[in-house]
Amino acid sequence: MGIRTSPLIQGALEARRRTHWLLAWLVAFAVGVILVYSVVMQIGLALLDTEVEAYAGQWVELVANAATVLVLFLWLRYYERRPFSSVGFRGTAGIARFVAGFLGGIALFAVPVLVLWGTGDLSSSGSEHTELGWSALLLVIAVIPVWLVQGTTEEIVTRGYLLQNNGTQLPGWLAIVLVSVGFGVVHLEFSPIPLAVIILVGLSFAFIAVAQGSIWLVAGLHVGWNFAQGNVFGIPVSGNPRDVSLFAFGPADGAGELMSGGDFGVEGSIVAAALWAAVAVVSFVYFRRAQAARAGTTVPPAEYERADASTAG
């Protein structure tokens, strides 16, 4: 599975000093996500005397994710010495793709919600919120930037930096699988269905990003999916509920966790698993077609030899 002809992967070749793929994981996850994000999040919550699920807590999440992006920005700027845009923010249709992805993510999440509502496994009054309905509309609109930063940060770290870095040093299939599994593991939910769904999301986004040569569309999809979950339908985002929502969907009385997703949310349901399995297949076909179209455009071997020779670790 060759992915090196993708403009996304080739962005890593702009580095004057390459990062070994193992070091890239340490910088992105150990430092950016585990250390910096966690510390900033805890400090912010303590200063505001709030919780993660509270409205104020969502804004702390924005700052914590921005801190993660800052770590990666500084690494790219001062260690690898390449532009931040090289992680996947290239292309004249970028903003349009992001908006299309955002709307698509909302529509995509509505599918399992409507299916489970129709089967009786979800109730429109199955969750509690401090602000609900039309009175929460302005607050819901105002919180979109939080999801914009949160979802885009995860794409920058995974489908942006790690996938392109690993893609220049490891076999294509291994880079995609490794990043997708890492994306699943970092959510710290190891129940079979939720973990499978998150990995399937990671695979789908990886195929789309490599096919398009950028992360604009997948960032929009990620933002729209999470925003719809937490502040539109009122469902926990990967197990984390939100106080403010337009609707109050949640597991219906007597509904099984396999169908409703239980406390983890709809992402942990078998319906979501089926949806993302289908999306992954479609994304893979799209990826193969895009790669076939680029088959005549190859990176000279000397370029990779030069890049590999300068890899630091």
Side-chain angles (χ1 to χ4, degrees):
M1 183 187 292
I3 63 175
R4 290 186 174 186
T5 57
S6 171
L8 174 65
I9 306 304
Q10 290 185 11
L13 296 179
E14 297 180 33
R16 294 185 182 180
R17 180 165 50 189
R18 296 280 306 288
T19 304
H20 189 279
W21 69 272
L22 281 174
L23 180 58
W25 279 88
L26 290 175
V27 171
F29 271 113
V31 178
V33 177
I34 297 176
L35 179 60
V36 173
Y37 175 88
S38 299
V39 169
V40 172
M41 196 71 189
Q42 292 306 312
I43 291 175
L45 293 175
L47 288 175
L48 296 180
D49 190 23
T50 188
E51 302 294 332
V52 175
E53 64 269 13
Y55 193 72
Q58 288 195 251
W59 291 96
V60 175
E61 192 174 4
L62 182 151
V63 176
N65 277 291
T68 298
V69 173
L70 179 60
V71 169
L72 197 52
F73 171 82
L74 293 174
W75 184 261
L76 291 171
R77 176 68 178 82
Y78 294 105
Y79 183 82
E80 293 197 4
R81 299 176 188 173
R82 62 174 166 123
F84 184 72
S85 60
S86 65
V87 297
F89 291 115
R90 300 276 174 78
T92 56
I95 300 300
R97 285 183 175 180
F98 183 90
V99 172
F102 177 72
L103 297 176
I106 295 174
L108 199 60
F109 187 76
V111 173
V113 171
L114 294 176
V115 169
L116 292 170
W117 189 32
T119 61
D121 292 287
L122 276 188
S123 167
S124 59
S125 58
S127 57
E128 296 182 359
H129 306 273
T130 56
E131 294 287 341
L132 186 65
W134 294 113
S135 63
L137 180 60
L138 292 180
L139 291 175
V140 169
I141 294 174
V143 85
I144 291 178
V146 172
W147 293 115
L148 190 153
V149 174
Q150 185 270 340
T152 302
T153 296
E154 291 192 16
E155 292 309 311
I156 289 171
V157 171
T158 54
R159 264 65 66 175
Y161 181 64
L162 285 176
L163 181 57
Q164 69 175 193
N165 172 282
N166 289 190
T168 59
Q169 301 175 50
L170 301 173
W173 68 268
L174 180 57
I176 288 177
V177 170
L178 188 61
V179 171
S180 300
V181 171
F183 176 66
V185 170
V186 79
H187 283 77
L188 301 179
E189 174 55 57
F190 302 106
S191 299
I193 299 300
L195 180 60
V197 170
I198 297 173
I199 291 175
L200 285 169
V201 171
L203 289 171
S204 300
F205 285 179
F207 290 138
I208 293 171
V210 172
Q212 295 202 331
S214 76
I215 63 172
W216 284 109
L217 181 63
V218 293
L221 284 167
H222 199 146
V223 172
W225 175 271
N226 284 355
F227 169 65
Q229 281 187 93
N231 294 113
V232 175
F233 291 103
I235 295 169
V237 180
S238 299
N240 298 308
R242 298 293 185 262
D243 274 355
V244 176
S245 180
L246 291 181
F247 302 103
F249 282 90
D253 291 339
E257 187 172 323
L258 187 64
M259 286 295 291
S260 70
D263 292 338
F264 190 78
V266 168
E267 278 183 320
S269 71
I270 194 68
V271 175
L275 171 68
W276 280 105
V279 173
V281 171
V282 172
S283 300
F284 178 71
V285 172
Y286 173 52
F287 154 75
R288 290 300 297 267
R289 289 179 177 176
Q291 288 296 91
R294 282 194 289 258
T297 305
T298 58
V299 178
E303 286 296 307
Y304 282 105
E305 291 171 4
R306 179 188 62 77
D308 289 339
S310 62
T311 297

